């Protein structure tokens, strides 16, 4: 399940809750932009015993598009074989998708900032969503979050 949220300070966010375990979630928040070429945002992962956050994930307008990846998954609601994946240009956010019988998509969200630096870290959670309606809603919510009008 996804929920587009507007907090008390009118900051837009999107939360993805795992259908199998609501204590597992991914949140996109704190969106900002320095210029017309990119959008910056934070990603938070939560699960029992885990809280991880990267404050400055970057989406470049000329780079690969997370919303297009999610929309393609939603379009293929009848399923696919194997795993599909997407990542930001600097790979600090990676999303892997697997189709499960019964019409569910497992999205593994992995944060790995500073992959070239000593002391880098990584964390991941997997959220399960319905392949059709919930994936379509997620794609629309992420598109709206990353869109210019939220500046």
């Amino acid at each position: 399940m996804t929920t587009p949220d507007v907090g008390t300070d009118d900051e837009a966010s999107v939360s993805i809750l795992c259908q199998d375990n609501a204590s597992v979630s991914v949140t996109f928040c704190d969106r900002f932009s320095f210029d017309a070429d990119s959008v910056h945002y934070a990603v938070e992962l939560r699960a029992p015993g885990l809280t991880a956050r990267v404050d400055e994930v970057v989406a470049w307008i000329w780079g690969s598009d997370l919303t297009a990846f999610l929309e393609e998954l939603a379009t293929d609601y009848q399923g696919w074989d194997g795993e599909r994946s997407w990542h930001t240009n600097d790979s600090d956010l990676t999303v892997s998708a697997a189709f499960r019988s019964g019409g569910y998509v497992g999205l593994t969200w992995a944060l790995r900032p500073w992959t070239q630096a000593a002391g880098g870290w990584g964390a991941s959670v997997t959220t399960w969503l319905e392949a059709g309606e919930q994936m379509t809603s997620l794609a629309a919510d992420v598109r709206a979050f990353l869109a210019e009008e939220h500046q």
Side-chain angles (χ1 to χ4, degrees), residues 25-103:
S25 66
V26 177
T27 301
F28 289 74
C29 56
D30 299 335
R31 180 193 183 285
F32 65 97
S33 187
F34 292 119
D35 54 41
D37 293 332
S38 65
V39 175
H40 302 249
Y41 55 95
V43 177
E44 297 176 354
L45 307 180
R46 294 188 185 276
L50 171 73
T51 301
R53 177 181 168 116
V54 172
D55 286 319
E56 200 169 327
V57 175
V58 180
W60 296 95
I61 62 165
W62 43 262
S64 60
D65 185 2
L66 175 59
T67 55
F69 174 73
L70 296 172
E71 288 167 350
E72 182 180 320
L73 297 177
T75 300
D76 291 341
Y77 65 91
Q78 293 180 329
W80 61 86
D81 292 326
E83 185 176 275
R84 296 179 180 179
S85 64
W86 171 91
H87 59 84
T88 57
N89 291 42
D90 57 6
S91 297
D92 53 356
L93 171 63
T94 301
V95 183
S96 300
F99 189 82
R100 178 168 72 179
S101 63

Side-chain angles (χ1 to χ4, degrees), residues 11 21 68 86 98 108:
E11 288 293 322
N21 183 346
W86 171 91
T108 300

